[in-house]
Amino acid sequence: MEQQNELPIKIVLDTWYGNVSRADALFNTLTDEQLQGEVSPGRNTGTYLLGHLTAVHDRMLPLLGFGAQKYPQLDEVFITSPDKSGKTMPPIADLRAYWKDTNETLATHFKAMQPGEWLNKHTSVSEEDFAKEPHRNRLNVLISRANHLSGHYGQLLFLKK
Amino acid sequence: MEQQNELPIKIVLDTWYGNVSRADALFNTLTDEQLQGEVSPGRNTGTYLLGHLTAVHDRMLPLLGFGAQKYPQLDEVFITSPDKSGKTMPPIADLRAYWKDTNETLATHFKAMQPGEWLNKHTSVSEEDFAKEPHRNRLNVLISRANHLSGHYGQLLFLKK
């Protein structure tokens, strides 16, 4: 039974790692100049999406109970504000480094977890609500963020020649 | 234990239904004219992506062991061939109907399944390989296709004004 229970969790984790890995590969092939382009006319730039994805992943640290965000300064530029808000973005080289570090930090925490811990509540749900809605757990956060990454990955592909 | 095992499966299913539902809502708001536009210059049209997603979902019927595809004629136009191949597409009204019917057909099968059946093998893996790689199960297909839908959904959003 415990064996069975681990399988769905492994599948979600594999999806997460797979999505991060293909996004990594894409960011690595895109030049800084390509990243500064819009994914479609009038839409987000690659730079904004890189910062946005990094900030969203960084916020998973407190959400999953792993501690404070490492790059909270990104929130205002890449989550609270839309692209072209006039807010100053960090240099692209820094954003690339934050992206890599954030995903590595998450992976380190994930690898230290027992499968069953994925079914514990995340920090944005109260004990009371969690008792009634046990699917509001860490695994739910992981699959939701993996999906979020897929959506933006599909857009970022348009920056390729 | 069985209770615990059901939670990750519920979470993946909720993700699937949520993704289908938001794509439905988007397709419903897009006019036929908007659907005929490209999601980004030189990229796929909305019509092609509607047919592509329908064909990919239709192929889940045999892959998950539910029976034959309902719309196998879509494969050649929307899977084997890229957009603008010159292959004749069905009218958009038909594609909209196939999309809806395909997802409803899948949902009917999903709702008849016991959670544990999601951990059974899908039909593209041999018994021998499945014995060694038990994560190559139906749940894996479901999460993979949910992610695939997210990627194209992110692109289809660009057809909105």
Side-chain angles (χ1 to χ4, degrees):
Chain A
M1 278 305 209
E2 180 58 29
Q3 181 71 15
Q4 258 196 329
N5 194 27
E6 286 179 21
L7 265 181
I9 292 164
K10 172 185 164 48
I11 288 169
V12 179
L13 268 169
D14 285 352
T15 300
W16 169 264
Y17 288 126
N19 287 2
V20 167
S21 168
R22 67 179 187 170
D24 257 350
L26 178 59
F27 284 131
N28 288 339
T29 62
L30 294 170
T31 63
D32 287 1
E33 196 186 343
Q34 285 176 310
L35 268 183
Q36 289 169 72
E38 293 173 339
V39 293
S40 191
R43 306 293 177 166
N44 290 323
T45 59
T47 320
Y48 179 82
L49 288 176
L50 172 60
H52 174 69
L53 288 168
T54 304
V56 167
H57 291 193
D58 190 42
R59 285 163 74 108
M60 289 169 71
L61 291 171
L63 190 52
L64 295 174
F66 298 146
Q69 283 181 258
K70 293 181 80 171
Y71 307 104
Q73 73 276 17
L74 301 181
D75 291 12
E76 198 193 341
V77 190
F78 297 106
I79 293 186
T80 321
S81 308
D83 199 2
K84 301 143 200 164
S85 64
K87 299 265 161 66
T88 307
M89 289 188 186
I92 296 182
D94 289 357
L95 286 178
R96 290 182 184 274
Y98 300 162
W99 161 256
K100 212 167 143 49
D101 179 56
T102 299
N103 293 315
E104 284 170 2
T105 303
L106 286 170
T108 303
H109 287 288
F110 293 171
K111 282 168 186 166
M113 281 171 74
Q114 294 301 312
E117 293 180 75
W118 282 103
L119 303 181
N120 295 346
K121 80 179 201 64
H122 59 68
T123 61
S124 289
V125 61
S126 69
E127 291 284 0
E128 193 184 358
D129 288 344
F130 185 64
K132 285 176 288 187
E133 300 175 303
H135 62 280
R136 298 175 68 180
N137 54 31
R138 289 157 151 188
L139 192 69
N140 208 332
V141 170
L142 188 66
I143 195 169
S144 159
R145 295 306 180 276
N147 250 290
H148 174 256
L149 176 52
S150 273
H152 288 307
Y153 176 82
Q155 301 171 334
L156 286 159
L157 283 173
F158 298 150
L159 296 175
K160 284 172 74 173
K161 283 286 168 290
Chain B
M1 276 307 206
E2 181 58 28
Q3 181 71 15
Q4 257 195 331
N5 194 27
E6 286 180 21
L7 266 180
I9 292 164
K10 172 186 165 47
I11 288 168
V12 178
L13 268 170
D14 285 352
T15 300
W16 168 265
Y17 288 126
N19 286 2
V20 167
S21 167
R22 68 179 186 171
D24 257 349
L26 178 58
F27 284 131
N28 288 340
T29 62
L30 293 171
T31 63
D32 288 359
E33 196 187 342
Q34 285 175 312
L35 268 183
Q36 289 170 72
E38 292 173 339
V39 294
S40 192
R43 306 294 177 166
N44 289 325
T45 58
T47 319
Y48 179 83
L49 288 176
L50 173 58
H52 174 70
L53 288 168
T54 304
V56 167
H57 291 194
D58 190 42
R59 285 162 73 107
M60 290 169 70
L61 290 172
L63 190 53
L64 295 174
F66 298 147
Q69 282 181 258
K70 293 181 78 170
Y71 307 103
Q73 72 277 18
L74 300 182
D75 291 13
E76 197 193 341
V77 191
F78 298 107
I79 293 186
T80 320
S81 309
D83 199 2
K84 300 144 202 163
S85 65
K87 299 264 162 65
T88 307
M89 289 188 187
I92 296 182
D94 289 357
L95 286 178
R96 290 182 185 275
Y98 300 161
W99 160 256
K100 213 166 144 48
D101 178 55
T102 299
N103 293 315
E104 284 171 0
T105 303
L106 286 170
T108 302
H109 286 288
F110 294 171
K111 282 169 186 166
M113 281 170 75
Q114 294 301 311
E117 294 181 74
W118 283 104
L119 303 181
N120 295 346
K121 79 179 203 62
H122 58 68
T123 60
S124 290
V125 62
S126 68
E127 291 286 359
E128 192 184 359
D129 288 345
F130 185 64
K132 287 177 286 188
E133 301 175 303
H135 62 279
R136 298 174 69 179
N137 55 31
R138 288 158 153 188
L139 192 69
N140 208 331
V141 170
L142 188 67
I143 195 169
S144 160
R145 296 306 179 275
N147 251 289
H148 174 257
L149 176 53
S150 274
H152 288 306
Y153 176 81
Q155 300 171 333
L156 286 160
L157 283 173
F158 297 150
L159 296 175
K160 284 172 75 173
K161 283 286 169 287

